Amino acid sequence: MLPSIEIGASTDAAPARATNAPPAPQLARPDLQPDNVANAARVATSSRSHTQTFTRQDIEELNPQDVFGLLRNATSILVTYQGRKFPNNLKFRGDGNFGFIVDGAYVSAQTAGLMMQSLPVSALDQVDVVRDASALTLGPLVDFGSSSGALNSGFVVVRTHTPQETEMGLRTAVQTYGGVLGSAYGGYVFGRKPGEIPAFISGFIQKSSDDGPANRSNWNDTVVGLLKGGFTAGPLDTSWTLFQSSTRYGFQQGTFGEQTASTLAQKWGYSPIESTFLSWNSTFRWDERNVSLLTLAYTRTQDSNYLASFTSPNVTVANETGYTGQINARHSFTYDGTLAQLGLQYVNWSSPSGQTNYAGYARKEDTLSGYGNFEQKLLADRLILDASFRLDNHFDYVGVDQGGTTKYFYNRGFPLAVNYAGGATVKPLQGWGLGEIGAPLGAVNPLEGLANVSFSGRYSHTEQSDMSGIIADTNVTLQPEKQDKYEASVKIPVFRWFMPEVTYFDTEIQNNKQPSRTVTLNGNNVTVWTQGDTSRKGIEAVAAGVLLQDDILGKTTYRSSYTRLTEAYSHSQGTYDWLNPYRFQTPRTQINFALTQAWDRFTGTVALNHVSMYWSNGFAADGLYHQVGNYTTLDANIAYNFQLMDWDARLSFYGRNITNKRYESIYTYKAWGAVWGSELKLSWGEHSSPAPLPGMAWLAAAADQPSPWSGLYAGLNVGGVFGDGHGVNTVPGTSTILGDGGDDKGAGAARPATFFGRASASSAASTIPMGIGGGLGGAQLGYNWRLRPEVIGGFEADLQGVAGASASGSALRSATEPVTGATVVTSTKATKSLSYLGTARGRIGYLVTPTLLPYLTAGLAYGEGGFSTSLTQVSASASFAPNSGTIGSSSIRVGWAAGAGGEWMFQQNWSAKLEYIRYDLGNQGAYGNMGGYNLTAAGNPGLYASAVISSSRLAGHIVRAGVNYHFE
């Protein structure tokens, strides 16, 4: 656990590092090693094929937004998002019940959903995904505050960063949708001299915010801090972690036309959520055979859930709090191929105010658990047998017993929840000297890999009787849940470039709890439940390897996975039975693929995620199921490592969902689309130097040769900007009666669209094409590196003022009101402008002559643009009162830029350039209501509001010339 402990040596698969640099965390930290008894999240050998590990290097290469973004790359894990109190959720092999373990401490799914999105991935050393119920010895069988009380189906194990040397780090990033981030980190390792106590202390702080897509109310503003320390005193290793976050964010609004009007009107959010996490882990090595682990932890989440409305000025704030305290003690004994582990765990969870699904209803529960794991190696380690058990004694101090009047119960105990499992792993070809037989084949020796071919199988049985907090639906009597799980896998690491692994899983559940419908109790929406027998069967196929490792071409690695649910079936009970389509509510196919290329100082990663179609009815306006999923996203991250004075620097450009898929994982909540960004990371350590990636041997020699193309430069530019015809689009939303109008649809607030309201909204629809263009002039500052004698790479930032870049247009539309036949006419006038424009780009070029450098360039674009839309509506009908309104937006936007150019060194230290840049700052949007009176035949005026959404895309082309001065 501490930097003073060093285990093993670097392998080919380990991250490259500078000479004398500290080893990767997976080598230096015993608590990260899969077979080490100091690993509190250790799973049996037969469960390893069901566990996926993301190392610190993996996290850096994938560069996800947060922990949930990282988990999109995990095998058989579906990450869903909804703009509700519990925004992020996971499904493990089609099952939505899981828990988190953070630095040894159990965190319920409910608490994790509120806390984990603010935990910075740059502060993590490792994330493990354990999609195996036989690993239930890691935590409670049933989650706390669970809506269903169903059994957990897996865990996400998160380990925060432990410094291996004295180090510092700074990080800043900007991205589209107004995203900005800044963080600072420092770690100090001391006590290295003989007789001193080895110890460390580290601190991390980060501030981030983004605006989200226009008119989605999906903004956030987050501050987090992480403090960590530890020491080694003889046989005792101790470390502690303190995490504190304060996050303010808005719940994403659903999609007009898909979501119910009442839900669309909700302008909800957290302001703030404050999370505190504290854990203490101690490992005591009694002797070479006996090791004890102790974990103490405390977690608190406190949120102010503000409940506002897009259609009303009223605001209600609900303050909700949840607490978790726990202690976990485990002892491990090893002797001659035998491992025995026994442990006790106590977890107490309470929410005096209620949270998420049970807001307003106090809850308090605890679980006392005993568990064990046993392993035996036989036949010269060719056969490993394992068995495990866990017993949970769950007690509810305060719970919700039934619907209707919603009465509470107090001090209710439940029969023991029981889990037992057994497994075996066989390596039939190990120890027969196959590697030596094939040694003459060198690096392509397939016999060496055959020695590691393994076959594994597991069986797990779990029963639970805790149905606390579950309100049964009409005519349903809820029974205890039982699970039987069968798993079999084969791993064939024969070739370095192709190491496949195939797993078959079969989950059979009796009395599986599923939500049946939502009812309103005491002013709160509460889920009522039904149950049924469920069967899930499927196959996971994983392949990974090193495709290329060459001194010139670099190193290419990949990992791919394919999951197919061959059967997903549930039969349920109850009057309100919507479980019949259960088989359609989980995607049958998921595919993940990641490819990383390291060349010289460059590292590039592309990651693909495919989810097949499935069905969802979350908050659907028509109450029906609709198709979601059926998307393929592509993420890309390219980084350049270089030295900046005494600091290691890493400049990254990334794109997430670059195919711009606005998919839905929960119906009505669409993904943001493409996100583009850039990140600069500076790090310093006692052994700082750029990572020696493959193919860098020639770099020093190239750098020693003098070149006018190396170093800092600055200059001026002038040119023109040309729009690409994107105009201003205006579309109708919904129309609502705001008062008693007494029209043909009847009176009442928040009713469906009136006839005049629909005509008003429909006639407001228009598309006004216009392209802005004008002159621009500004300055640029850049830095070049000579990567090879003919290859020049660099970074350039510029800022230009824009003159005359504005345009206007108009449209005239009409729509007919169906009752009287009256026509509503809307006159729309729109304007669009661009005030200034800048870019921050990487450049790569090739010297075709010593003075002529053609190059490619790509990076971020930013600028301030705006638009406005003015609408005037009239009608010949006496029942229609004229109305008008103006909506618009003006903001600083961040997007992407890419292009090409050429630069000519026409005199020593002076160069001229000509370049073309394509820029895209994304969509701007604005939302407003056209209000008017519907004068009915009875003469009673009814005020209506017809929603109007207007948007415009800021994108175009730049052609410019410039001159640069290159400093000595």
Side-chain angles (χ1 to χ4, degrees):
M1 252 189 311
L2 300 177
S4 58
I5 301 173
E6 295 188 1
I7 305 294
S10 179
T11 67
D12 290 340
R17 57 189 177 93
T19 305
N20 299 322
Q26 287 67 35
L27 300 175
R29 294 180 54 177
D31 63 320
L32 299 186
Q33 298 164 9
D35 269 324
N36 201 305
V37 294
N39 184 350
R42 183 187 183 279
V43 297
T45 305
S46 62
S47 289
R48 304 283 166 81
S49 59
H50 319 305
T51 302
Q52 181 178 351
T53 296
F54 293 97
T55 66
R56 187 171 178 84
Q57 183 181 7
D58 295 331
I59 296 170
E60 188 172 68
E61 291 171 350
L62 290 167
N63 197 13
Q65 176 80 14
D66 51 31
V67 171
F68 294 102
L70 177 68
L71 294 174
R72 295 182 190 278
N73 299 279
T75 302
S76 297
I77 303 298
L78 175 67
V79 181
T80 62
Y81 176 83
Q82 60 178 348
R84 311 300 297 162
K85 293 183 179 182
F86 195 52
N88 298 288
N89 212 334
L90 307 175
K91 281 192 174 183
F92 285 63
R93 294 174 174 172
D95 193 312
N97 301 289
F98 61 94
F100 274 77
I101 297 174
V102 181
D103 281 352
Y106 177 78
V107 178
S108 69
Q110 175 175 276
T111 302
L114 300 176
M115 182 180 80
M116 296 306 296
Q117 65 180 12
S118 63
L119 179 64
V121 292
S122 60
L124 306 181
D125 268 349
Q126 184 166 300
V127 175
D128 297 299
V129 180
V130 185
R131 51 187 189 275
D132 176 14
S134 61
L136 283 173
T137 50
L138 298 180
L141 300 176
V142 178
D143 200 9
F144 292 89
S146 169
S147 298
S148 67
L151 296 164
N152 279 325
S153 287
F155 294 90
V156 178
V157 184
V158 177
R159 330 293 181 95
T160 58
H161 180 58
T162 296
Q164 305 303 312
E165 62 173 359
T166 298
E167 58 189 14
M168 294 184 293
L170 298 172
R171 179 171 170 249
T172 184
V174 293
Q175 67 181 36
T176 50
Y177 299 114
V180 293
L181 177 150
S183 68
Y185 166 79
Y188 184 71
V189 176
F190 47 95
R192 296 180 180 273
K193 296 180 180 180
E196 296 181 341
I197 295 178
F200 74 91
I201 186 78
S202 66
F204 177 94
I205 187 169
Q206 177 172 295
K207 172 73 166 65
S208 62
S209 65
D210 60 60
D211 300 329
N215 303 312
R216 295 274 195 94
S217 189
N218 195 198
W219 55 274
N220 81 75
D221 190 349
T222 301
V223 178
V224 301
L226 179 68
L227 191 64
K228 192 168 183 177
F231 63 88
T232 298
L236 176 66
D237 291 339
T238 292
S239 67
W240 52 268
T241 302
L242 173 62
F243 172 74
Q244 177 73 45
S245 70
S246 178
T247 303
R248 302 173 187 270
Y249 68 89
F251 297 171
Q252 179 172 318
Q253 191 178 26
T255 303
F256 283 93
E258 293 185 0
Q259 198 171 65
T260 59
S262 59
T263 308
L264 276 173
Q266 294 171 353
K267 190 178 182 181
W268 290 7
Y270 284 124
S271 188
I273 292 179
E274 292 184 347
S275 301
T276 301
F277 171 84
L278 176 63
S279 71
W280 179 282
N281 292 277
S282 292
T283 302
F284 192 86
R285 300 182 296 276
W286 301 88
D287 52 43
E288 62 180 9
R289 296 192 179 97
N290 292 275
V291 177
S292 296
L293 276 69
L294 176 66
T295 298
L296 305 174
Y298 167 80
T299 305
R300 177 185 68 90
T301 58
Q302 183 172 349
D303 64 77
S304 295
N305 180 202
Y306 74 84
L307 311 173
S309 172
F310 288 100
T311 59
S312 168
N314 298 328
V315 177
T316 302
V317 178
N319 295 309
E320 304 170 353
T321 307
Y323 304 91
T324 306
Q326 60 189 291
I327 180 172
N328 190 4
R330 187 179 80 188
H331 184 80
S332 301
F333 171 79
T334 56
Y335 179 76
D336 193 25
T338 300
L339 168 65
Q341 296 177 305
L342 293 173
L344 291 172
Q345 183 177 32
Y346 173 76
V347 183
N348 179 280
W349 174 84
S350 67
S351 179
S353 59
Q355 281 185 309
T356 60
N357 293 317
Y358 282 92
Y361 299 95
R363 304 284 297 278
K364 184 177 180 181
E365 310 169 14
D366 70 10
T367 298
L368 177 63
S369 308
Y371 60 91
N373 181 58
F374 308 93
E375 297 181 31
Q376 179 65 58
K377 296 182 179 180
L378 302 169
L379 304 176
D381 296 348
R382 295 188 185 95
L383 174 62
I384 304 176
L385 302 176
D386 64 80
S388 62
F389 74 89
R390 184 180 180 99
L391 303 174
D392 279 5
N393 182 22
H394 192 85
F395 193 87
D396 277 8
Y397 295 90
V398 181
V400 182
D401 190 33
Q402 67 181 32
T405 58
T406 317
K407 73 174 184 180
Y408 283 98
F409 63 80
Y410 301 89
N411 301 325
R412 176 186 291 181
F414 297 88
L416 288 177
V418 180
N419 166 261
Y420 54 85
T425 300
V426 181
K427 295 184 177 180
L429 302 179
Q430 181 174 285
W432 298 102
L434 294 178
E436 290 79 4
I437 296 174
L441 297 175
V444 295
N445 177 14
L447 298 181
E448 184 176 2
L450 282 175
N452 293 315
V453 171
S454 63
F455 302 87
S456 299
R458 288 192 69 82
Y459 168 73
S460 170
H461 177 81
T462 311
E463 300 182 12
Q464 63 90 13
S465 298
D466 178 16
M467 294 170 291
S468 63
I470 305 175
I471 301 175
D473 203 348
T474 306
N475 300 325
V476 174
T477 301
L478 298 177
Q479 300 294 328
E481 180 177 316
K482 298 181 180 181
Q483 288 189 4
D484 288 287
K485 294 197 173 186
Y486 310 85
E487 296 152 329
S489 65
V490 56
K491 185 175 183 179
I492 312 174
V494 176
F495 300 102
R496 195 167 181 231
W497 52 270
F498 183 62
M499 294 182 285
E501 187 172 2
V502 179
T503 299
Y504 170 79
F505 59 90
D506 181 355
T507 302
E508 305 295 333
I509 307 176
Q510 298 180 41
N511 305 320
N512 185 29
K513 309 302 181 297
Q514 294 285 352
S516 177
R517 59 191 175 109
T518 300
V519 298
T520 301
L521 297 176
N522 297 338
N524 292 295
N525 292 331
V526 176
T527 302
V528 294
W529 298 81
T530 185
Q531 66 185 9
D533 296 339
T534 298
S535 175
R536 290 191 300 271
K537 301 176 182 178
I539 295 175
E540 298 167 344
V542 178
V546 179
L547 294 176
L548 174 69
Q549 187 162 12
D550 181 81
D551 290 339
I552 302 297
L553 300 177
K555 184 177 182 179
T556 306
T557 59
Y558 76 97
R559 186 187 187 277
S560 62
S561 68
Y562 171 83
T563 302
R564 177 67 180 176
L565 274 177
T566 58
E567 181 178 310
Y569 171 79
S570 181
H571 171 69
S572 62
Q573 310 172 12
T575 303
Y576 300 91
D577 179 1
W578 55 269
L579 282 181
N580 289 331
Y582 171 83
R583 67 187 67 189
F584 306 116
Q585 296 174 41
T586 299
R588 289 300 187 98
T589 302
Q590 290 181 249
I591 299 173
N592 292 101
F593 178 79
L595 178 73
T596 298
Q597 173 68 47
W599 177 77
D600 296 344
R601 295 181 184 268
F602 293 92
T603 303
T605 299
V606 293
L608 178 147
N609 175 228
H610 170 75
V611 175
S612 65
M613 185 271 291
Y614 58 104
W615 296 76
S616 169
N617 74 337
F619 308 101
D622 57 11
L624 303 176
Y625 283 85
H626 296 266
Q627 293 185 10
V628 296
N630 194 29
Y631 60 85
T632 301
T633 62
L634 189 66
D635 298 345
N637 181 56
I638 184 169
Y640 176 72
N641 299 276
F642 60 98
Q643 195 80 6
L644 187 62
M645 295 182 289
D646 293 332
W647 294 73
D648 293 340
R650 182 181 179 92
L651 179 63
S652 302
F653 298 94
Y654 59 85
R656 303 184 182 118
N657 188 14
I658 62 178
T659 51
N660 202 32
K661 299 292 185 182
R662 299 184 183 274
Y663 60 88
E664 294 174 325
S665 56
I666 299 292
Y667 185 61
T668 80
Y669 294 105
K670 295 186 182 297
W672 282 16
V675 175
W676 302 92
S678 180
E679 174 185 288
L680 177 63
K681 178 182 177 183
L682 301 177
S683 57
W684 177 90
E686 293 175 318
H687 303 91
S688 290
S689 65
L693 298 173
M696 287 183 60
W698 51 266
L699 183 59
D704 290 340
Q705 302 177 25
S707 170
W709 293 103
S710 298
L712 183 69
Y713 66 89
L716 302 174
N717 69 78
V718 64
V721 59
F722 309 95
D724 56 4
H726 288 295
V728 176
N729 299 315
T730 304
V731 297
T734 58
S735 180
T736 308
I737 300 174
L738 301 181
D740 279 339
D743 68 356
D744 57 286
K745 297 294 289 184
R751 296 295 301 259
T754 64
F755 286 119
F756 270 116
R758 281 200 295 258
S760 168
S762 297
S763 68
S766 67
T767 297
I768 304 175
M770 64 181 76
I772 56 176
L776 58 78
Q780 65 266 359
L781 179 69
Y783 195 94
N784 284 331
W785 291 272
R786 194 175 186 192
L787 305 178
R788 290 179 181 264
E790 296 85 12
V791 180
I792 306 298
F795 175 81
E796 181 177 289
D798 60 66
L799 177 62
Q800 289 76 221
V802 182
S806 62
S808 62
S810 62
L812 194 67
R813 290 286 305 274
S814 63
T816 301
E817 185 269 307
V819 176
T820 65
T823 298
V824 178
V825 179
T826 300
S827 173
T828 304
K829 296 181 179 180
T831 63
K832 182 177 177 181
S833 63
L834 179 65
S835 301
Y836 64 84
L837 184 64
T839 68
R841 297 165 287 106
R843 300 199 319 169
I844 184 74
Y846 185 86
L847 288 169
V848 295
T849 73
T851 59
L852 183 59
L853 177 72
Y855 59 85
L856 300 174
T857 181
L860 289 180
Y862 62 95
E864 182 176 9
F867 76 96
S868 67
T869 304
S870 298
L871 302 99
T872 301
Q873 295 186 329
V874 296
S875 176
S877 172
S879 299
F880 185 91
N883 63 76
S884 62
T886 299
I887 57 177
S889 174
S890 180
S891 62
I892 298 173
R893 309 292 298 175
V894 179
W896 60 268
E903 192 166 0
W904 172 45
M905 191 75 66
F906 63 89
Q907 188 176 329
Q908 185 174 358
N909 299 110
W910 288 93
S911 66
K913 70 172 185 176
L914 180 67
E915 68 182 359
Y916 161 80
I917 299 290
R918 161 69 176 175
Y919 72 91
D920 191 334
L921 300 181
N923 283 314
Q924 283 182 296
Y927 174 92
N929 283 312
M930 295 291 295
Y933 283 98
N934 180 9
L935 305 177
T936 67
N940 183 20
L943 177 65
Y944 67 85
S946 54
V948 176
I949 305 168
S950 194
S951 64
S952 180
R953 190 174 190 86
L954 284 171
H957 315 269
I958 300 171
V959 178
R960 63 188 174 187
V963 62
N964 290 321
Y965 178 79
H966 298 256
F967 298 92
E968 297 288 350

